[in-house]
Amino acid sequence: MTGVQEAPTDAPAIEVAGLYKRFGELEVLKGIDLTVKAGQVVCVIGPSGSGKSTLLRCVNRLEEPSSGQIRVEGIDILDPEIDLDKVRARIGMVFQQFNLFPHLTVLSNLTIAQRRVLGRGKTEASEVARHNLERVGLLDKADAYPAHLSGGQAQRAAIARSLSMNPDMMLFDEPTSALDPELVGDVLDVMRHLAESGMTMMVVTHEMGFAREVGDELVFMDDGMIVEAGNPRDVLSAPRHARTQSFLSKVL
């Protein structure tokens, strides 16, 4: 069996079961179980080194899990026969760093993967790119180069680039952590509008206000494990576990 099989229509967007990840002797993920439903926004918080980013990177196999199961829209993405490129086309990923090609204009940054991976023609790819630049408030920067963008603009361009691949879901790995504080709001506004449009999102973040306002579920990780999960307002206002209480006392 090759390629991407059709998924059950009622399958969750993301299912992680018994996920372990080791780097040599270091065990970074220790049996993670997590489900993200279609249209849901799940925010993941926790201290540095808790395994948040590794979990996110395992979901689209930027990191290979040591053991466990990951299903995306019902499809086993750890199947050795899977067409990983087709799976990844369903999953948009936005990193801390923007990873824009410095020698290409913003528009070209948004069209290159569409043309090479999705096989779109130049005109269609450009139309899709301009539509998504408009969504993130950057249509006037289509012909600019990344060096001429602020950090917030570059991150919004990176989000538009992911959206231009028409993903079913978006993964965000601390997308505002590299930004100056006054630039964070514009990026969070774009993410808020995405959530309102029904986009499935998994967000590793330190922005507790965003998690409280936009998240459907808040997951607190520590030492490679999920310590606590629940409604963001409940977890942030009345955490049940001592470790969650200690962490939130330092960040709220």
Side-chain angles (χ1 to χ4, degrees):
M1 177 182 64
T2 58
V4 176
Q5 68 268 38
E6 287 301 315
T9 55
D10 59 346
I14 300 167
E15 290 178 281
V16 176
L19 186 66
Y20 286 81
K21 174 62 182 177
R22 301 174 187 86
F23 294 99
E25 296 297 312
L26 180 63
E27 195 168 54
V28 179
L29 297 178
K30 305 175 181 178
I32 298 293
D33 297 310
L34 179 67
T35 298
V36 181
K37 299 175 183 176
Q40 193 175 33
V41 178
V42 174
C43 294
V44 184
I45 64 171
S48 178
S50 59
K52 309 182 300 295
S53 294
T54 301
L55 170 60
L56 211 63
R57 291 171 66 86
C58 283
V59 169
N60 66 353
R61 280 184 60 186
L62 288 175
E63 294 287 356
E64 288 294 326
S66 300
S67 61
Q69 294 183 325
I70 303 174
R71 291 184 176 273
V72 172
E73 298 176 326
I75 297 165
D76 177 8
I77 71 166
L78 301 183
D79 181 344
E81 299 297 323
I82 203 74
D83 185 332
L84 194 54
D85 287 338
K86 288 188 177 180
V87 171
R88 284 182 175 146
R90 300 182 177 196
I91 309 171
M93 182 95 182
V94 177
F95 300 89
Q96 297 178 36
Q97 303 300 328
F98 324 123
N99 298 328
L100 298 172
F101 294 115
H103 63 290
L104 298 179
T105 65
V106 169
L107 185 66
S108 294
N109 266 282
L110 269 64
T111 58
I112 186 170
Q114 293 186 65
R115 298 181 68 185
R116 292 185 178 179
V117 177
L118 301 181
R120 289 177 179 157
K122 182 177 181 180
T123 299
E124 181 186 6
S126 180
E127 288 175 353
V128 170
R130 290 182 183 279
H131 168 72
N132 285 302
L133 285 173
E134 187 170 26
R135 288 176 73 179
V136 303
L138 284 179
L139 186 55
D140 63 327
K141 299 294 184 182
D143 296 323
Y145 286 87
H148 300 144
L149 303 180
S150 70
Q153 289 171 335
Q155 190 61 290
R156 283 186 282 151
I159 294 172
R161 178 180 56 188
S162 288
L163 292 174
S164 294
M165 301 297 285
N166 295 116
D168 295 342
M169 63 198 72
M170 293 282 287
L171 310 179
F172 293 88
D173 187 6
E174 300 191 30
T176 60
S177 65
L179 302 180
D180 292 333
E182 66 268 24
L183 302 177
V184 168
D186 290 341
V187 173
L188 293 181
D189 283 344
V190 168
M191 294 170 63
R192 188 176 293 108
H193 291 143
L194 271 181
E196 291 170 353
S197 76
M199 177 65 75
T200 304
M201 296 165 60
M202 191 170 169
V203 185
V204 171
T205 185
H206 292 294
E207 301 293 338
M208 301 302 163
F210 175 86
R212 180 187 290 109
E213 178 189 349
V214 180
D216 297 303
E217 183 171 12
L218 184 66
V219 173
F220 172 66
M221 288 184 64
D222 187 41
D223 193 28
M225 296 177 285
I226 293 178
V227 175
E228 186 166 350
N231 180 284
R233 294 170 184 80
D234 295 340
V235 174
L236 291 173
S237 62
R240 292 171 294 153
H241 293 268
R243 184 64 189 94
T244 319
Q245 294 168 9
S246 173
F247 173 77
L248 291 176
S249 71
K250 296 178 174 67
V251 300
L252 290 179

